Each structure stands twice: as structure tokens, then as C-alpha cells.
Amino acid sequence: MAAIQRTLFARQAFSLLSRSTPARLAPLAITRTAATVRSFTASASWRSEDSAQPSQSPQDAQQQSAAALHAKTTPEAILKKALTFVPQHGWTTVSIAKAAEDMGYPTIIHGMFPKGGADLIDYFLQDCLERLPLELEGRMEGLGTQEKIKLGTLTRLGMIAPYIDRWHEALAIMGQPSNVAMSLNHLAKIVDEIWHLAGDKSADMNWYTKRASLAGVYTTTELYMTTDKTPNYQATQKFLNRRFEDAATVGKVTNEVFQIAEFGAKSVLGLITSKGFRM
């Protein structure tokens, strides 16, 4: 019975809680899809008001098309710029407002992002997901599976390094009830992408257990990294190695794997909602 419960936990963590988590397995109704680009749409007040005009010259049409494209891309451009203000102002609407002001827009434009810091985090996590394959291109050749997973995990963790002093704030925001679905969705995408890049072709329950175990390893290491003050995050790298040793062989169904996975999932669900988190 305990084994069945642990299996159900793995399925829930990476199927039910993350409905967009893909799957490659036809027998299990799981298929993997390519990462989709997060697109933020401007509010109605920022859209063109000329769409009802009866006729336009080719030049006017071209200008309106350019304006529409600008309106569509402006939100992402603002969020990208806002990341440069995160070290000083955190994952807040203040960072978004500062970015808008720096780009020549009124600071009230941050109203296009009703979730504030959560929208900024969402954009950052999606951007990291899209950059990960580029960062790992050509670097996994000749490595064993576990070494590939370690490299993928460290590379992805390295993307939060520029914001590490503020990352506990991001974890707290992601732990809020209204943001749990977004957080779990991104966690599922991260571990699935790492396994995919490592060449995983599982076609049985190992698909679930591999991702459940890596989710636990990833989240616990991410939490530890927020407290790491060693050069080049050497302590975090050692901590990650210990987590892999704890799990024996990543992807196998063991009690240790499910304990780590459960801890990781609970962390995402709310154990990190305090800014004063300490390991």
C-alpha cells in the first residue's frame, strides 16, 4: 500500500498539479511539447484605437502594423529590462515601474502586469527554460546520464545566481496560494527539460519517478543555494552531489527518492513562504 501511495504521489506531482506537463508516452497518455513562449498582452488602453477606420493608405497600414507589433512586444521588453532592477528593488512592481520609466514609458504602465512580481518571476522562469538548451549545447557529449543531469541542474541553478540575494523573495512569492500552480508548472518544465536534454526515452513509470526525484533534488539544492556564501557556490555543488548520492541512482524507485521528492514538492507548496528562510 505504501508503494502505491508513493506512486500516486509521483503521478499527482507531475500530471495533475502541472496539467501542461507533457508526456512522451502514448501508453500513459503523456507527450512532451516544446516550450511555449510566454506572451504578455497590453491592456485595452494601450491598444490601437484606429482599427475601425474604413480605409487606409499602404503607408498608414504599415505604420499601424508596426504600432501593433510594438504594443505586443513592449510588455516583454519591459519585463526583460525590469530584471536589471531586481537586485536593487526585488521582484516587485517597483522594478517594473523603474524599467518602464527607464524606457520612456509612464510608471503607471506596470498596471499591465496585475500580478506584479509574480508576472516578473513567470517571465524570468520561462526565459531560463528557453535558454537552457542553448547553454548546454555541445557540453553533454561523452557524459554519463547522471553527469548530464548534474550538469543540467547546475547550469539551470546558475541562471538564478545574478539574483541570488533576492531569490528567497521569489521563492516566497511562488509559495503563495495564488502562484502555486505557476510554480509547479515551471518546476515540472525544468525537470522534464533536463531529462530530455540528457537523452531520456523512458516509456514506463520511470518517466514519473525520474522527474519526481529530480524535482526533489532541484528544489532542495535551490533552497540551499540561497544561503551559500562560498566562492563559485562550491558548497552548493557539494550539496547537490550529496543529494544525488542520497537518491542512489537518479530515476530509480527507492524510498529515499520519494522522500526527497515529497520534501521538494512541499517546499514549493508553501514551506518557503517566509523571507527569513534559513537552512
Side-chain angles (χ1 to χ4, degrees):
M1 180 63 68
I4 294 175
Q5 291 175 339
R6 290 195 294 269
T7 300
L8 288 175
F9 168 78
R11 295 190 66 169
Q12 290 170 345
F14 292 95
S15 180
L16 297 180
L17 290 178
S18 181
R19 304 203 174 190
S20 63
T21 302
R24 304 182 176 81
L25 314 175
L28 297 178
I30 301 177
T31 54
R32 185 180 186 281
T33 58
T36 56
V37 177
R38 165 73 168 173
S39 178
F40 291 88
T41 304
S43 63
S45 62
W46 287 89
R47 295 172 187 160
S48 172
E49 299 177 355
D50 301 328
S51 57
Q53 293 183 357
S55 63
Q56 294 177 316
S57 68
Q59 183 177 1
D60 289 340
Q62 184 177 9
Q63 290 176 347
Q64 183 173 337
S65 177
L69 178 62
H70 177 68
K72 182 179 180 181
T73 58
T74 292
E76 285 195 6
I78 292 174
L79 290 176
K80 182 177 182 179
K81 183 68 176 179
L83 291 176
T84 64
F85 291 93
V86 167
Q88 183 177 359
H89 300 288
W91 302 92
T92 63
T93 54
V94 175
S95 291
I96 298 174
K98 290 286 185 181
E101 182 179 19
D102 192 67
M103 296 172 69
Y105 297 104
T107 55
I108 59 172
I109 202 172
H110 69 73
M112 290 193 300
F113 312 101
K115 293 185 178 181
D119 278 336
L120 184 55
I121 293 168
D122 192 12
Y123 168 80
F124 171 70
L125 293 175
Q126 184 63 35
D127 182 64
C128 289
L129 182 70
E130 294 167 7
R131 289 192 288 121
L132 187 59
L134 301 177
E135 293 285 340
L136 291 172
E137 188 174 1
R139 296 174 58 194
M140 288 187 169
E141 296 178 5
L143 298 179
T145 299
Q146 185 161 305
E147 291 304 314
K148 288 179 181 179
I149 298 299
K150 283 184 182 180
L151 177 60
T153 303
L154 284 172
T155 301
R156 176 58 185 80
L157 288 170
M159 293 180 181
I160 68 176
Y163 314 100
I164 195 63
D165 291 337
R166 294 282 189 170
W167 195 244
H168 64 283
E169 298 174 8
L171 294 176
I173 292 172
M174 286 189 284
Q176 295 172 359
S178 60
N179 299 321
V180 165
M182 178 266 286
S183 176
L184 288 174
N185 183 38
H186 280 294
L187 176 60
K189 287 180 178 180
I190 290 170
V191 297
D192 184 53
E193 184 67 9
I194 291 174
W195 271 109
H196 173 66
L197 293 172
D200 178 52
K201 301 184 185 300
S202 299
D204 51 26
M205 278 303 297
N206 277 336
W207 189 94
Y208 294 104
T209 58
K210 286 178 179 179
R211 283 149 184 78
S213 62
L214 182 56
V217 170
Y218 182 90
T219 54
T220 53
T221 307
E222 180 181 49
L223 290 170
Y224 184 87
M225 186 175 175
T226 63
T227 68
D228 186 3
K229 304 300 181 183
T230 61
N232 199 31
Y233 300 100
Q234 294 174 0
T236 296
Q237 296 183 49
K238 292 179 180 178
F239 181 88
L240 178 63
N241 288 334
R242 292 196 297 272
R243 297 291 71 76
F244 275 95
E245 292 172 1
D246 290 342
T249 301
V250 174
K252 288 190 176 181
V253 186
T254 65
N255 290 334
E256 291 82 358
V257 165
F258 280 104
Q259 288 170 1
I260 294 172
E262 184 174 7
F263 176 78
K266 287 181 178 179
S267 297
V268 176
L269 285 169
L271 295 180
I272 53 176
T273 55
S274 171
K275 292 185 179 181
F277 174 83
R278 292 292 183 272
M279 288 297 293

